[in-house]
Amino acid sequence: MTAPNHVTGGMVFTGLFCSLFSINIFSSPLFISICLMGSLLPDIDHTKSIIGKAFYPLAKWLSVNYGHRTITHSLIFLVGITVFSMFLEAIFSDNYSVSIIFFFSVKLLENRFSIEC
């Protein structure tokens, strides 16, 4: 999947599922940014992806040690990154909207709903 597909799918599916929690992802630039980051994050294990280029040393290490579509497309990664975001949000805010947005944007673009091109 290419970056535009990740972003489009992330916005559509995250917006849909977050609306069930009364969260409008378009109500804040922060929410949109979190959705964009979350939708691109699973491809950090690919050195030629946008996020892989931004974090090249980490992307290279993940690619060499685990390969593409392995650890960052797993339930372990989803739970770990969600718990980490909830921890950060508990320190800086009482509202867990960002963690919910992050959860759906990361989860929905794992291999469950994606169409490989």
Side-chain angles (χ1 to χ4, degrees), residues 4 12-13 19 21 39 58 71 79 84 94 110:
V12 169
F13 288 117
S19 68
F21 291 87
S39 64
L58 178 60
I71 193 81
V79 169
F84 181 71
D94 291 336
E110 291 180 7

Side-chain angles (χ1 to χ4, degrees), residues 83-96 99:
V83 168
F84 181 71
S85 70
M86 290 175 76
F87 173 74
L88 288 177
E89 202 163 19
I91 292 172
F92 298 110
S93 173
D94 291 336
N95 183 359
Y96 287 99
S99 295

Side-chain angles (χ1 to χ4, degrees), residues 18-113:
C18 282
S19 68
L20 299 174
F21 291 87
S22 299
I23 299 171
N24 181 0
I25 64 167
F26 301 107
S27 66
S28 164
L30 173 67
F31 291 172
I32 294 171
S33 300
I34 294 297
C35 186
L36 291 173
M37 181 70 169
S39 64
L40 294 173
L41 190 61
D43 270 350
I44 199 166
D45 61 357
H46 192 303
T47 56
K48 295 188 179 181
S49 68
I50 290 175
I51 197 160
K53 289 177 185 177
F55 297 98
Y56 185 78
L58 178 60
K60 180 74 171 172
W61 184 82
L62 287 169
S63 180
V64 167
N65 289 312
Y66 297 104
H68 185 50
R69 289 188 201 98
T70 55
I71 193 81
T72 60
H73 288 75
S74 70
L75 188 59
I76 294 168
F77 179 75
L78 175 66
V79 169
I81 203 76
T82 302
V83 168
F84 181 71
S85 70
M86 290 175 76
F87 173 74
L88 288 177
E89 202 163 19
I91 292 172
F92 298 110
S93 173
D94 291 336
N95 183 359
Y96 287 99
S97 297
V98 170
S99 295
I100 293 170
I101 293 168
F102 199 63
F103 171 81
F104 283 120
S105 65
V106 171
K107 178 60 181 158
L108 291 176
L109 287 200
E110 291 180 7
N111 287 331
R112 315 298 183 269
F113 294 99

